[in-house]
Amino acid sequence: RAGAPGAMKVLFHIQERVHGAGRVRFEWNQRGTFLASCGANGQLLVHDRNGARVHETSLEMRGACKQVAWSHDGTAIAVCQHGVAKISVFELATRTLSSVSNSAVGEPQVISWAQDSPILAAGDGAGNLLLYNMAVRRTIPLVGKHTGAILSAAWSMSGRLAMGGDDAVVTLSTSEGDTIVATDLTAEARQICFARQKTDSPSAGRSPSTLTVNMGGRSLLLLETAEHDDKPFELTFQEKYGQIERFAWFGDGYLAVGFQRGFVTVISTHRKELGTEIFTVPLQREAATAMAVSERLLHLAVAGGNTVRILDLSSALSSRKAPPDRVALRLEAHMGTVEALQWTRDGQILTAASSSGDLVTLLGDLPTLGVANGNRFATLSSLREVSVTDTAAEDARLRVPLEVEPKLLALGPTHIMAAINDRAWFYRLRVTADGTAGPPVAKREYLSEVREAALGPSHCVALCGGTVLAHAIEPSSGGDAAADAPHPLNEGDSPATCVTAVGELVLWGTEDGSVHFWHSPTGRRLDGARFVHPQAGGSAAAGGAGGACSVRRVYPNQAGTRVIVVDAANRSWLFNPVDNLTMRIADAIEPPAAVLWDPADWGLFAMASASSLRIFLHRAHTVYGPTTERLGEPSVGASGELSIEPVDTDIPPGNTAVALTDGVLLSRSNAGAVTRTRVHTHTRLEKASLSTIEGTAEACKQAIQLGRLQAGWELASRVRSRPLLLALANRAKTDLQPAIAIRVYRALGDAGMVMSLEAVADVEDVHALAGHMAVMFADYDRAEEEFLRSSSPGEALQLRRDLLQWDSALRLARAIAPTEVGGISIECAKQLEVKGEADKALATYEEAERDLPPDDTLPGAEPTSRVGKLHVRVKAGLARTLLKTGSLRRGLELAREGDAALARECAAILEGLKQAPEAAELYIKAADWEHAASILILSREFDKAAEIMPKVTSPRLLVAFAKAREQQGRYGEAVEAFKRARSLDDVVRIYLEKMDRPDDAAELTRKTRSTAAATMVAAYFQESDNTRGAVEFLLLAGRPDDAFDIAVSSGAMDVYTEVIAAAMGGEVPDEEFLRIARYFEEQGDKATAGKFYAKAAHYHRALNHFLDPVNEDKCLDEAVDVVGRSRNEQLVNSLIDHLTGDADGVPKDPQYIFKLYMALDNFEQAAKAAIVIADNQRIAGNYRVAHGVLFEMHRELMAKDVRVPSALVGSLELLHSYVLARRLVKSGDHEGAARLLLRCVDDLSRFAFNATAVLTMTVVECHRAGLKRSATEFARVLMDDEHREKIDGKLRRNIEALVRRPGKTEKDQETSPCPVCSFALGAWESECPSCKTHLPRCVVTGRHMVLDDWSSCPRCNWPALFSHLGRMVEENPSCPMCEQTVALGTPQLTKDPAAELQKWVSQTARKPSPGKEEEDEKDGAERAAAASAAAAAPARGGATMAALGALGLS
């Protein structure tokens, strides 16, 4: 039991009884396949790597073994023993044991085989040397090589022998024993070896030439044995380390040294850092009794006491820090201490010898055999056991015990193969009763060593030599040996270099740079899918054995649709067998240790080196064709630019990449353990990273990088980041995924891009779709390439047309659309013409004319066909370019034949060529009157210009022409031209200076209000003594001071005031009005002064002037206007005092009180005043005047949207009933007149002035209308003493008769519906008994209004029944209310009578609210009292003012 926690696995243990108690010596052969050992009993044993004993020989002489040594080729073993002078040599091939000795040489102390020849050197205790050449069986004794015992010996790769002894001398000799050099030491040479010291120059290719000597355990001497003058260098160490026990070289010039006190030091031998300690570690308390370094693994094994520790030097060299150690072996106490250690060359096995005679062999590293197939991979779990793991289920492991240690593994869907040399064993992947795969189902022996192999579902292919052999894995049931025999697949082809299988396909590479495909079910080669190295040219350097194009490895994806090929120059290529497309992989690892395809992501693969993994993504279809890019750390710019910083994933130290599944790397350690590592490109896709917005954004970037666009959309829609969405959209477009791009752009709100993508979303041709996407990226050259590869190459031509790239379009048209050459040539020529290359353009136009089909346009007809229109364009281009190149005659001919547009273009060219007449001619043909006139005027062809000037509108040209005609004395034409040019100042100037037409000049100046023109006219009038004109136009000229002075001096201030507002455009400054007011004030004209003070907003002074007694109350209207504008309370009181007579004792006309309140917008007081005034007129019998006053007040209030007082409405309606009744009497409507008069006599006191006449007319009209009872009733009133004597004599007897014979009948009143509630009431009733609404009355008939016959007077907007209003207009077109004429046909039915009713009722309703009736009655009493007071007043004005006072208005 030799073990410890964490120790290395014991491969086999040879116990002390095998060799006998005591020290045991051992050595592995150079290949590490056999272990030779010999102990105290003189038995020489040879074991294989698994501990199986393959040879056993007893030595001739008994004696403990001193040393065991293998020859360089592993064919012989030399053994020297204590107390024996002979050297035993065992040859494995013949299994013979022979002895080597010489009488001149005593008992050997040390033996050593040369590294490149079968020469054995032995040194004895007296300093003598014996050389034995096993090939010729000859010995050479060399006596006196040293003066003391030879303690150590070592051979260099160049065949030189170094020996050191206790005589403190080290010698360097040839293979014949001749001394080359002898170097004195300071102490005995305990250990010597050759190594390669680190230098400044590259060391690759140089053999080790530095001899290292342990001088007595105190120091190390570095002695350069090559032919140069380097002096020996001695390395000394700190005393605390103790004596040097062992040392070992490793790497590129590094030295590990073990010391007596347990310290281990690693130093560098580079010239610049010679002797510098990389690290020192106190590994143990015991002395370092043994030390060994695995050059392949850079593992240092150090023994001390019964313990073996391992240090990983690879990490220590990079970090320059002491690495952690682990215990590889700890012997039990009875086994003693560890005295010797040795690694096999491959570093897989470490053997330790104990002082008791035990030999323990440890499994340090398993062979790096690993193979994957789909989700499975297989690795060695021991030298004779394979573990098959399913990556989809971590616990699904299958152990496969093997019969031998394999050198090759192959894994298929159902079988695994283990091979060594020319033999192979096949195991079925199934679990047997013992939990393993069971015994092999087939064994096979090939004619030569199996270099590579691959398994399919039922077949195996093996690479033996350069031949690819295929056979069934399991023998057929019939036992047909011929059918089961391997058959070559590449017979007659170049030798194969590698082979692999995927599914039913077999692939192999060849030395000439090819990869072939073979389909196992059909047994046929797929010659249509064959990789040919792009650089294979048949030369020896390119193809052939060892050529740079020779295929080294082949790595197909899971379906075999993509293959990565690695050539002998370590270049990697990606091959598509579908279309035989090959592309080189940029940034590939050269060479890759493995290529792993990820089954979770099509196109994702990784290249592995010894320490890192590099991820690539192959995209089959993109805008830029198939691409392969290296992945890493993605980042997104503000505009959605996706950039990738290449980053590799580290493989765990000491591990080998085996498989890649969904971004998880499975790697195998040297001890067989499997590690799962998520590669850098997938780290953010784990669920844990999606818990935050930042993590989701990073995951989205990785998804976009990996081409997982659906997942990227889901993540980006959660983040809602515009840059991420843009990056996803760009990637979707690049990868030809318009559906994803449409979703993203919809989220971004880019309707234009959505529409563009939807237009091409259904394009099935990949190349056409790539072309459309390239257009969206503005990569037009790429778009053209893709369109030309597609089934619609015409898109490329259309693209160049849309881009106006006519050179490219012409090139494409000649290739794919010859019929379009002519039209495109025209566009190309046009472009050349624009660039100024007229000669080339002319040639291209002529070429286009030749390429076009014949013109099919009839003579004199307009071209309608495409060809005809192209011919027109060609001729136009020829005309232009001919003119530009100097061919004027021919160019003019073509220009005259062309249309107006061509004429204009050619005219411009001729104008540039200074060909004025021809240019003008063509401009006229083109109806370009401006240019033609310009040329003719510059050419002084004024008469020709006059012919076209009526068509010219340019002011500049009209002015130039006018000036020319003015110089010629043709003033009429000049005036007309100046007018059309709107240069009216020049017109005024000519009127005054040339034509003596001042009135025309003045009229035009009044219209233009030009300062310059006004100045000219004012000067003219001043010279002509026209004061009015001078004042007016000086004001227009902005010279009011001059105008004022003239007005004052000439006494024409009335002219000044008359024209100032008009002259100044209505914008007269207040200072000007003040100046005028002061003038009139000085002149004593108070009224005019007040007028201008008012305009200057000096209202106090204005009112004082207006109320001045000198004006005799002639300016009261102006005073009211001033007070109304000022809204000044003081001025209002002053004016009221004046109007009521409080100021001078003379009351003024009450109309002015009314006007004042209207001016002040005090409508309530104005209405009361209007009522008083109207009552005054009514009392005086002026019913029409009173009616007019109330009507105007009513209309004003309605216009101001102010509610009309009920008293005003009642008074107006009563007066209108009387006025209308008189009109109806004349028109013969006796019932209407009677009904209205009945209203009047109900309030007869309002008609006191002619009450008898009103009663008489009422009786007469009632009698005529059939209202007998009413006629009798009012006839009796007339018989009262108050009225009897006033009755017209002609009617008295009739009335008296009516009283004597009273009528008792009464005609029923016609009914009509209430417009508010539809209640049927009398047609002349004004208040509805149902809804109590005071209804509007018809202005024509006095009836109340109805909705279905609603209209209004077009002049005063008073309601009227449409049917009666129309008859009134025909008979008497004067409106009874406003007395204005209504035109025939103007009355219209109201569209919305309900709205009109609502408006009228809301503004004029007389329906009193609760408590309002008493107020109305009080108002009536006050009006009656006012009327009585008026009757007693001495004058009409005084009566009215008294009434106003009664109302509280004064």
Side-chain angles (χ1 to χ4, degrees):
R1 296 182 303 162
M8 297 168 65
K9 181 178 180 180
V10 176
L11 188 60
F12 58 89
H13 179 193
I14 303 174
Q15 298 181 355
E16 62 175 344
R17 65 175 181 272
V18 177
H19 291 99
R23 293 179 175 176
V24 60
R25 305 301 182 184
F26 70 93
E27 187 173 89
W28 285 94
N29 65 352
Q30 292 218 10
R31 294 178 59 190
T33 54
F34 295 106
L35 173 68
S37 60
C38 185
N41 60 8
Q43 291 290 320
L44 176 62
L45 304 180
V46 179
H47 295 80
D48 64 11
R49 291 168 62 91
N50 296 300
R53 190 177 299 176
V54 295
H55 296 293
E56 182 178 0
T57 302
S58 297
L59 301 181
E60 295 179 358
M61 305 297 293
R62 295 293 178 181
C65 179
K66 283 185 180 180
Q67 189 178 351
V68 176
W70 283 88
S71 63
H72 75 288
D73 55 3
T75 59
I77 304 171
V79 181
C80 63
Q81 299 169 279
H82 286 282
V84 179
K86 297 180 179 180
I87 300 172
S88 298
V89 178
F90 179 72
E91 297 182 46
L92 275 70
T94 60
R95 295 179 180 269
T96 59
L97 183 66
S98 60
S99 298
V100 177
S101 63
N102 189 280
S103 59
V105 178
E107 175 185 340
Q109 300 297 314
V110 61
I111 59 176
S112 179
W113 286 94
Q115 297 191 45
D116 59 349
S117 62
I119 299 176
L120 176 66
D124 64 7
N128 302 315
L129 172 63
L130 177 66
L131 295 177
Y132 170 65
N133 189 329
M134 190 178 69
V136 297
R137 311 290 179 175
R138 182 169 70 92
T139 60
I140 303 175
L142 297 168
V143 179
K145 195 69 168 177
H146 284 263
T147 59
I150 296 176
L151 303 179
S152 55
W155 287 87
S156 71
M157 294 293 295
S158 59
R160 295 183 177 182
L161 174 64
M163 304 189 78
D166 61 4
D167 57 355
V169 175
V170 63
T171 59
L172 185 65
S173 306
T174 65
S175 58
E176 298 297 327
D178 298 331
T179 300
I180 299 174
V181 65
T183 302
D184 293 331
L185 307 176
T186 59
E188 73 276 11
R190 295 184 179 181
Q191 179 187 356
I192 63 174
C193 71
F194 279 97
R196 184 171 53 241
Q197 182 181 355
K198 192 171 184 181
T199 61
D200 294 327
S201 60
S203 58
R206 294 192 296 110
S207 62
S209 59
T210 301
L211 183 63
T212 309
V213 183
N214 180 359
M215 296 191 299
R218 296 191 298 272
S219 62
L220 295 179
L221 181 69
L222 304 183
L223 179 63
E224 182 58 51
T225 61
E227 296 180 357
H228 50 71
D229 297 332
D230 285 353
K231 296 180 179 180
F233 185 84
E234 183 177 0
L235 292 173
T236 59
F237 301 92
Q238 300 181 44
E239 291 185 2
K240 68 177 182 179
Y241 298 162
Q243 290 192 357
I244 299 171
E245 296 289 338
R246 293 287 185 271
F247 68 87
W249 285 87
F250 67 93
D252 188 14
Y254 292 98
L255 190 61
V257 185
F259 295 91
Q260 179 186 16
R261 295 175 182 169
F263 287 91
V264 174
T265 296
V266 173
I267 62 174
S268 171
T269 62
H270 194 280
R271 294 291 186 187
K272 295 180 180 179
E273 55 183 10
L274 187 59
T276 301
E277 294 184 5
I278 304 301
F279 68 84
T280 298
V281 57
L283 200 59
Q284 56 206 5
R285 294 183 179 180
E286 299 86 354
T289 54
M291 181 182 290
V293 175
S294 170
E295 282 283 352
R296 189 180 74 84
L297 301 179
L298 290 181
H299 284 180
L300 172 65
V302 181
N306 67 338
T307 304
V308 177
R309 299 176 184 272
I310 303 296
L311 295 175
D312 185 356
L313 300 178
S314 59
S315 60
L317 293 180
S318 59
S319 66
R320 301 241 160 180
K321 295 181 181 179
D325 65 278
R326 62 186 176 94
V327 177
L329 174 67
R330 182 171 285 124
L331 300 180
E332 297 183 3
H334 70 274
M335 297 173 67
T337 60
V338 180
E339 294 191 337
L341 293 171
Q342 186 184 6
W343 292 93
T344 55
R345 175 178 257 179
D346 57 11
Q348 296 173 3
I349 296 175
L350 174 66
T351 301
S354 72
S355 58
S356 64
D358 289 90
L359 202 60
V360 182
T361 299
L362 306 175
L363 185 58
D365 267 331
L366 288 172
T368 56
L369 291 181
V371 62
N373 186 295
N375 289 330
R376 291 174 172 172
F377 72 93
T379 60
L380 281 179
S381 55
S382 181
L383 292 179
R384 290 190 181 181
E385 183 181 87
V386 173
S387 290
V388 181
T389 304
D390 189 343
T391 59
E394 296 186 22
D395 297 332
R397 291 174 179 260
L398 175 64
R399 292 189 304 109
V400 183
L402 307 177
E403 295 184 3
V404 296
E405 178 186 351
K407 289 188 177 180
L408 175 69
L409 291 177
L411 182 64
T414 57
H415 295 79
I416 186 171
M417 167 188 174
I420 183 171
N421 299 330
D422 58 352
R423 300 178 65 194
W425 291 260
F426 298 89
Y427 300 84
R428 193 174 296 165
L429 298 177
R430 60 186 178 183
V431 181
T432 60
D434 62 353
T436 66
V441 296
K443 300 179 182 180
R444 188 169 297 273
E445 187 171 352
Y446 300 92
L447 297 177
S448 60
E449 181 182 0
V450 180
R451 290 167 47 196
E452 291 186 17
L455 301 182
S458 60
H459 61 277
C460 170
V461 287
L463 178 61
C464 300
T467 304
V468 179
L469 300 174
H471 62 83
I473 296 176
E474 299 187 26
S476 59
S477 57
D480 186 352
D484 294 338
H487 55 281
L489 301 181
N490 62 333
E491 194 171 9
D493 291 341
S494 175
T497 56
C498 57
V499 67
T500 188
V502 54
E504 295 176 339
L505 291 177
V506 174
L507 299 82
W508 68 88
T510 63
E511 290 183 353
D512 64 358
S514 299
V515 175
H516 299 274
F517 290 72
W518 181 73
H519 189 230
S520 61
T522 60
R524 296 177 56 187
R525 282 173 55 167
L526 307 179
D527 291 330
R530 179 186 171 212
F531 169 82
V532 177
H533 199 290
Q535 298 179 0
S539 65
C549 295
S550 175
V551 176
R552 173 181 287 181
R553 297 294 301 168
V554 176
Y555 300 97
N557 65 358
Q558 292 78 11
T561 56
R562 296 294 185 274
V563 182
I564 293 176
V565 181
V566 181
D567 61 21
N570 297 329
R571 295 167 297 191
S572 296
W573 307 84
L574 191 141
F575 173 60
N576 180 1
V578 179
D579 55 11
N580 288 338
L581 178 67
T582 301
M583 59 188 301
R584 185 169 179 185
I585 302 174
D587 293 333
I589 294 176
E590 298 182 353
V595 175
L596 311 175
W597 289 90
D598 191 335
D601 287 295
W602 190 96
L604 188 72
F605 64 91
M607 288 186 168
S609 66
S611 60
S612 62
L613 196 73
R614 188 167 296 175
I615 308 298
F616 295 85
L617 179 65
H618 170 66
R619 294 184 283 167
H621 302 296
T622 71
V623 169
Y624 307 103
T627 62
T628 300
E629 62 180 339
R630 182 180 173 186
L631 304 186
E633 183 66 32
S635 61
V636 174
S639 301
E641 309 90 355
L642 178 66
S643 57
I644 298 175
E645 179 68 24
V647 177
D648 294 342
T649 300
D650 292 334
I651 299 175
N655 283 25
T656 303
V658 176
L660 181 66
T661 303
D662 196 14
V664 176
L665 169 67
L666 284 84
S667 59
R668 173 189 174 278
S669 69
N670 295 324
V674 176
T675 303
R676 294 173 180 266
T677 306
R678 183 167 288 274
V679 298
H680 189 81
T681 55
H682 292 65
T683 53
R684 303 302 177 88
L685 297 177
E686 297 178 294
K687 289 185 178 180
S689 299
L690 306 181
S691 59
T692 64
I693 292 296
E694 294 77 8
T696 304
E698 294 300 321
C700 180
K701 295 176 189 176
Q702 288 195 341
I704 296 172
Q705 173 186 234
L706 293 169
R708 299 181 179 181
L709 301 186
Q710 180 60 38
W713 162 245
E714 294 172 0
L715 294 169
S717 60
R718 290 170 56 187
V719 179
R720 308 302 295 177
S721 165
R722 180 176 179 81
L724 273 182
L725 289 169
L726 287 173
L728 178 61
N730 290 336
R731 185 58 177 266
K733 290 190 294 183
T734 303
D735 288 358
L736 310 185
Q737 298 291 328
I740 298 290
I742 288 172
R743 283 193 222 165
V744 178
Y745 280 117
R746 277 194 182 129
L748 289 169
D750 192 337
M753 188 60 75
V754 170
M755 294 175 64
S756 300
L757 288 165
E758 286 178 341
V760 301
D762 296 330
V763 175
E764 296 181 355
D765 190 314
V766 172
H767 294 294
L769 182 59
H772 289 299
M773 294 299 180
V775 171
M776 295 182 190
F777 284 116
D779 191 345
Y780 304 119
D781 293 337
R782 183 65 193 178
E784 177 186 320
E785 293 177 16
E786 293 296 332
F787 282 138
L788 290 176
R789 292 174 184 165
S790 71
S791 58
S792 52
E795 293 284 352
L797 178 58
Q798 187 60 44
L799 171 65
R800 294 304 182 182
R801 277 178 163 170
D802 294 341
L803 296 172
L804 305 181
Q805 296 176 351
W806 301 111
D807 288 342
S808 300
L810 184 60
R811 168 179 52 80
L812 290 171
R814 286 178 176 143
I816 62 176
T819 58
E820 301 291 330
V821 170
I824 295 175
S825 294
I826 295 173
E827 300 295 346
C828 186
K830 178 70 174 176
Q831 193 174 64
L832 290 170
E833 189 179 352
V834 171
K835 292 179 179 179
E837 301 177 15
D839 293 332
K840 292 182 179 179
L842 176 60
T844 307
Y845 277 126
E846 291 172 343
E847 183 180 351
E849 188 177 32
R850 292 192 298 269
D851 291 333
L852 285 174
D855 190 357
D856 55 0
T857 305
L858 296 176
E862 287 292 326
T864 58
S865 66
R866 177 176 175 272
V867 174
K869 293 177 180 178
L870 290 176
H871 274 280
V872 170
R873 293 185 62 194
V874 165
K875 289 180 181 178
L878 287 172
R880 291 192 302 270
T881 51
L882 285 169
L883 292 176
K884 291 177 181 178
T885 55
S887 300
L888 300 182
R889 183 183 60 78
R890 186 181 168 201
L892 275 171
E893 291 176 358
L894 291 174
R896 291 182 180 118
E897 295 173 1
D899 57 9
L902 176 62
R904 184 180 296 104
E905 293 172 349
C906 293
I909 296 170
L910 290 168
E911 184 179 4
L913 296 174
K914 308 301 182 183
Q915 303 295 319
E918 293 81 0
E921 174 193 349
L922 292 181
Y923 275 131
I924 292 172
K925 175 179 172 59
D928 191 343
W929 315 114
E930 313 290 331
H931 281 91
S934 176
I935 292 173
L936 292 173
I937 291 171
L938 290 174
S939 303
R940 304 189 67 78
E941 297 286 344
F942 300 119
D943 292 338
K944 290 183 179 181
E947 298 175 3
I948 63 173
M949 288 310 293
K951 301 175 183 179
V952 175
T953 59
S954 169
R956 178 181 61 84
L957 295 176
L958 289 169
V959 168
F961 179 76
K963 289 180 178 179
R965 283 311 200 195
E966 183 182 358
Q967 291 177 356
Q968 294 174 339
R970 303 173 71 168
Y971 303 122
E973 292 183 40
V975 165
E976 185 62 28
F978 276 131
K979 284 183 178 180
R980 293 187 60 222
R982 305 301 300 168
S983 181
L984 300 181
D985 289 350
D986 287 313
V987 175
V988 171
R989 178 180 54 78
I990 292 176
Y991 277 158
L992 296 174
E993 297 178 0
K994 307 292 185 183
M995 304 179 73
D996 195 22
R997 293 168 58 182
D999 293 340
D1000 293 336
E1003 184 64 26
L1004 182 59
T1005 304
R1006 290 189 186 101
K1007 293 179 180 179
T1008 63
R1009 308 188 69 82
S1010 167
T1011 301
T1015 301
M1016 289 188 289
V1017 175
Y1020 184 90
F1021 283 142
Q1022 282 180 286
E1023 292 176 1
S1024 303
D1025 294 329
N1026 187 337
T1027 303
R1028 180 182 182 88
V1031 169
E1032 177 184 358
F1033 287 99
L1034 282 172
L1035 288 172
L1036 277 178
R1039 296 164 58 188
D1041 294 340
D1042 295 340
F1044 187 82
D1045 293 342
I1046 291 176
V1048 171
S1049 62
S1050 61
M1053 186 57 67
D1054 57 335
V1055 176
Y1056 184 82
T1057 58
E1058 180 182 346
V1059 301
I1060 185 170
M1064 292 190 173
E1067 299 294 333
V1068 181
D1070 291 345
E1071 293 78 5
E1072 197 64 36
F1073 286 133
L1074 283 175
R1075 181 162 63 174
I1076 298 173
R1078 294 190 187 103
Y1079 171 80
F1080 283 109
E1081 191 175 27
E1082 293 172 359
Q1083 299 296 320
D1085 189 348
K1086 301 286 186 176
T1088 307
K1091 174 183 175 182
F1092 283 99
Y1093 275 127
K1095 289 185 178 182
H1098 284 228
Y1099 300 119
H1100 285 81
R1101 300 186 69 176
L1103 182 62
N1104 291 334
H1105 284 295
F1106 286 143
L1107 298 182
D1108 192 283
V1110 72
N1111 292 320
E1112 299 180 351
D1113 291 334
K1114 297 178 182 178
C1115 298
L1116 291 180
D1117 286 325
E1118 288 82 355
V1120 169
D1121 180 64
V1122 165
V1123 172
R1125 284 161 55 191
S1126 70
R1127 302 299 174 98
N1128 184 285
E1129 184 177 356
Q1130 180 181 357
L1131 296 183
V1132 172
N1133 294 331
S1134 298
L1135 181 57
I1136 289 177
D1137 289 345
H1138 183 79
L1139 293 176
T1140 57
D1142 291 345
D1144 56 1
V1146 181
K1148 308 304 183 295
D1149 192 333
Q1151 290 283 352
Y1152 295 112
I1153 289 288
F1154 170 71
K1155 291 180 181 180
L1156 174 61
Y1157 284 123
M1158 290 297 293
L1160 294 173
D1161 292 336
N1162 191 339
F1163 301 114
E1164 182 178 357
Q1165 295 296 338
K1168 290 180 179 181
I1171 293 172
V1172 172
I1173 294 170
D1175 283 348
N1176 184 38
Q1177 295 294 334
R1178 175 181 55 77
I1179 292 170
N1182 299 322
Y1183 300 127
R1184 172 57 69 180
V1185 175
H1187 178 277
V1189 171
L1190 294 176
F1191 168 70
E1192 289 298 332
M1193 188 67 218
H1194 186 282
R1195 181 163 62 175
E1196 187 72 21
L1197 293 176
M1198 290 289 285
K1200 300 288 187 180
D1201 199 21
V1202 177
R1203 187 178 184 277
V1204 183
S1206 58
L1208 191 150
V1209 174
S1211 297
L1212 179 58
E1213 287 182 347
L1214 184 63
L1215 287 172
H1216 187 67
S1217 296
Y1218 178 75
V1219 173
L1220 182 60
R1222 295 174 64 84
R1223 182 167 175 160
L1224 292 178
V1225 170
K1226 292 179 182 179
S1227 64
D1229 185 1
H1230 300 294
E1231 182 180 4
R1235 300 288 184 187
L1236 296 177
L1237 287 170
L1238 287 174
R1239 292 181 191 167
C1240 295
V1241 296
D1242 284 345
D1243 199 356
L1244 187 61
S1245 62
R1246 298 291 187 96
F1247 300 94
F1249 183 80
N1250 59 345
T1252 303
V1254 172
L1255 284 170
T1256 303
M1257 187 166 42
T1258 303
V1259 171
V1260 172
E1261 291 303 313
C1262 285
H1263 182 74
R1264 289 177 178 178
L1267 304 178
K1268 304 296 184 180
R1269 188 171 62 244
S1270 297
T1272 300
E1273 178 184 352
F1274 291 106
R1276 290 173 179 162
V1277 176
L1278 278 173
M1279 292 296 103
D1280 292 342
D1281 294 340
E1282 181 183 354
H1283 304 290
R1284 187 180 184 94
E1285 297 300 327
K1286 299 178 182 179
I1287 301 175
D1288 187 351
K1290 297 178 181 179
L1291 298 175
R1292 181 181 299 176
R1293 296 185 63 181
N1294 292 333
I1295 294 173
E1296 290 174 348
L1298 182 61
V1299 171
R1300 288 191 294 267
R1301 294 186 295 275
K1304 297 182 180 180
T1305 61
E1306 188 84 9
K1307 182 180 179 180
D1308 292 336
Q1309 187 176 171
E1310 180 184 343
T1311 63
S1312 59
C1314 171
V1316 177
C1317 65
S1318 301
F1319 178 80
L1321 70 157
W1324 281 269
E1325 297 293 334
S1326 61
E1327 186 168 323
C1328 176
S1330 176
C1331 62
K1332 307 300 182 183
T1333 303
H1334 184 77
L1335 304 177
R1337 298 178 181 181
C1338 172
V1339 72
V1340 176
T1341 64
R1343 298 168 177 246
H1344 70 77
M1345 294 296 294
V1346 293
L1347 291 178
D1348 58 358
D1349 198 26
W1350 194 294
S1351 183
S1352 60
C1353 170
R1355 307 301 298 273
C1356 64
N1357 206 31
W1358 198 278
L1361 293 171
F1362 177 71
S1363 56
H1364 296 277
L1365 180 62
R1367 287 196 298 270
M1368 183 208 76
V1369 172
E1370 294 175 357
E1371 297 171 0
N1372 184 4
S1374 173
C1375 173
M1377 180 62 74
C1378 63
E1379 298 183 345
Q1380 298 186 66
T1381 302
V1382 179
L1384 188 66
T1386 55
Q1388 300 290 332
L1389 272 173
T1390 302
K1391 294 181 180 180
D1392 191 358
E1396 289 294 320
L1397 172 65
Q1398 177 64 30
K1399 175 183 176 182
W1400 195 264
V1401 169
S1402 64
Q1403 286 190 276
T1404 64
R1406 294 183 61 202
K1407 182 178 180 180
S1409 57
K1412 188 68 177 174
E1413 295 179 357
E1414 294 79 359
E1415 295 180 9
D1416 287 345
E1417 292 177 358
K1418 183 179 179 181
D1419 288 345
E1422 291 178 350
R1423 285 195 297 271
S1428 300
R1436 188 186 65 173
T1440 304
M1441 295 310 298
L1444 289 173
L1447 290 174
L1449 296 179
S1450 59

